Amino acid sequence: MKSTSTSPTEVASEEEQYYDKISDLKAFDETKAGVKGLVDAGITKVPRIFFSPADEFDKVSDPGKNEFYVPVVDLDGIDKDPILRKNIVDIVRDASETWGFFQVINHGIPDTVLEEMLDGVRRFYEQDTEVKKEWYTRDGSKTVVYNSNFDLYRAESANWRDKTYCNMAPNPPSPDELPKSCSDILVEYSRKVRELGRFLFELLSEALNLNPSHLIDMNCAEGLAILYHYYPACPEPELTLGASKHADYDFLTVLLQDHIGGLQVLYQNQWVDIPPVPGALVVNIGDLLQLISNDKFKSSQHRVLANNVGPRVSVASFFTTGLMPSSKIYGPIKELLSQDNPPKYKETTVREYSLHYNAKGLGGHSQISILLSFRCPA
Ligand code: OGA
Ligand code: NI
């Protein structure tokens, strides 16, 4: 029989491991050069702070070989034909209820703008490291927050990616507060993605059988944070992840990904690829939209695999005011409730919800239960 008591030497070695991890994390953080810095230095082994725990759904998933495809919605002509619009709303409703994800094409943002946005992200990360370091911070109140792993000291394992966060609305920064390497395109892309976001909120309102302006009138489209990512090529991609599994904490996310791939959504307990489609944007429901739709729409877990052909770049547009002071209360939308469909969630503010999310970090089980911790007792 195995003894449950621990000998003093075992305790010491556990503590040693713990302190090792902290000092490894600190050393990595202090380079301010992110994962790209490790790759630039010629690393051939993934350091253990990046080792990802095995995922319970990996063994049943065979991405690319299952019969599931995330819906691709063509918005071409939607404003000219009410019947087409109704058909599109039906597809959006179905996708939002089941996948929590869909892709859109002919969404009105020109390919040239998408390409230039991705180029701008590459220019930012590939500029002189000494210049880039000046943006490196963990102070979330800064206009531009560049770092590697916002949850570095809290997460179970670090991700093989670098990230930059800018709040673009409702209080847009002046262009000279943004990095020169991508400031013009950030401003232009944000403006266009905000317009698209408003349009998507109209379709989503209609999909909930509400007035088209309902979600916009609730200020769901008010805040926009742009998060742009760099996933360097990884020498041992099976040991780590580009992004640990998580659900997004906003109302809605519009994601621009390049041609590399690696994004996956958890669908019917299987990891399913969301393949790059030229000119497309990936749209996904966030936790706050699941909450206000009283579980009609689903905020699905997703992740990004590490790759050995990168860098991969992506730009996530988060519709949320994030940590901005907010007094507006969000709970399940009254019009959707009935005796058979009582509210499933407690009311919250965007700031309160975002604080919970930030405190947990990505991956593991704690992050997944955030929405659950707002559920009403059954
Ligand atoms: C995110 C995210 C996926 C990607 O930023 O929340 O899921 O492809 N990004 O970068
Ligand atoms: Ni996400």
Side-chain angles (χ1 to χ4, degrees), residues 29-49:
D29 201 17
E30 279 162 10
T31 67
K32 302 188 177 187
V35 176
K36 183 174 187 300
L38 300 176
V39 173
D40 289 345
I43 205 163
T44 57
K45 296 258 166 239
V46 168
R48 67 177 176 176
I49 56 168

Side-chain angles (χ1 to χ4, degrees), residues 238-263:
E238 57 299 335
L239 296 183
T240 185
L241 283 170
S244 300
K245 74 171 161 193
H246 67 281
D248 293 350
Y249 63 93
D250 54 353
F251 290 103
L252 191 71
T253 306
V254 175
L255 179 86
L256 167 62
Q257 62 170 336
D258 72 5
H259 59 284
I260 301 276
L263 176 63

Side-chain angles (χ1 to χ4, degrees), residues 61-69 270-273:
S61 304
D62 196 357
K65 293 220 176 58
N66 54 47
E67 70 278 30
F68 301 130
Y69 298 96
Q270 294 194 45
W271 286 111
V272 179
D273 287 333

Side-chain angles (χ1 to χ4, degrees), residues 173-205:
S174 86
D176 58 14
E177 291 176 89
L178 297 170
K180 276 206 179 44
S181 44
C182 55
S183 59
D184 291 349
I185 188 63
L186 264 179
V187 171
E188 186 183 0
Y189 181 76
S190 305
R191 200 164 42 79
K192 293 222 152 53
V193 96
R194 228 177 154 212
E195 268 170 45
L196 173 62
R198 290 176 69 86
F199 185 69
L200 292 169
F201 278 116
E202 284 180 13
L203 296 183
L204 290 163
S205 300

Side-chain angles (χ1 to χ4, degrees), residues 161 163 227 229 231 246 248 255 257 263 302 304 312 314 316 318:
R161 76 166 168 185
K163 176 193 306 228
L227 285 68
H229 304 108
Y231 300 84
H246 67 281
D248 293 350
L255 179 86
Q257 62 170 336
L263 176 63
H302 50 285
V304 181
R312 172 182 188 267
S314 71
F318 271 50

Side-chain angles (χ1 to χ4, degrees), residues 116-300:
E116 174 55 14
M117 186 66 255
L118 294 172
D119 283 344
V121 174
R122 290 185 202 103
R123 281 195 302 273
F124 175 82
Y125 287 103
E126 292 169 5
Q127 70 183 306
D128 187 278
T129 312
E130 292 308 311
V131 181
K132 184 172 64 177
K133 272 182 191 172
E134 288 168 26
W135 298 99
Y136 197 94
T137 180
R138 296 198 175 274
D139 175 356
S141 69
K142 289 265 167 44
T143 310
V144 178
V145 176
Y146 150 63
N147 62 44
S148 187
N149 290 275
F150 75 99
D151 53 356
L152 187 65
Y153 296 99
R154 307 187 284 287
E156 238 175 296
S157 60
N159 289 159
W160 200 259
R161 76 166 168 185
D162 300 330
K163 176 193 306 228
T164 306
Y165 182 103
C166 317
N167 286 309
M168 301 302 290
N171 305 315
S174 86
D176 58 14
E177 291 176 89
L178 297 170
K180 276 206 179 44
S181 44
C182 55
S183 59
D184 291 349
I185 188 63
L186 264 179
V187 171
E188 186 183 0
Y189 181 76
S190 305
R191 200 164 42 79
K192 293 222 152 53
V193 96
R194 228 177 154 212
E195 268 170 45
L196 173 62
R198 290 176 69 86
F199 185 69
L200 292 169
F201 278 116
E202 284 180 13
L203 296 183
L204 290 163
S205 300
E206 289 171 46
L208 291 168
N209 298 315
L210 300 167
N211 186 305
S213 67
H214 198 105
L215 293 172
I216 294 172
D217 293 343
M218 288 178 76
N219 296 345
C220 296
E222 185 192 8
L224 175 64
I226 299 264
L227 285 68
Y228 58 89
H229 304 108
Y230 194 85
Y231 300 84
C234 179
E236 299 175 301
E238 57 299 335
L239 296 183
T240 185
L241 283 170
S244 300
K245 74 171 161 193
H246 67 281
D248 293 350
Y249 63 93
D250 54 353
F251 290 103
L252 191 71
T253 306
V254 175
L255 179 86
L256 167 62
Q257 62 170 336
D258 72 5
H259 59 284
I260 301 276
L263 176 63
Q264 297 185 321
V265 58
L266 191 60
Y267 179 73
Q268 298 187 358
N269 290 339
Q270 294 194 45
W271 286 111
V272 179
D273 287 333
I274 303 184
V277 171
L281 292 162
V282 178
V283 179
N284 66 284
I285 306 296
D287 287 355
L288 289 170
L289 192 46
Q290 176 167 343
L291 186 151
I292 63 175
S293 73
N294 209 37
D295 278 351
K296 184 147 170 76
F297 290 167
K298 207 168 153 236
S299 170
S300 291

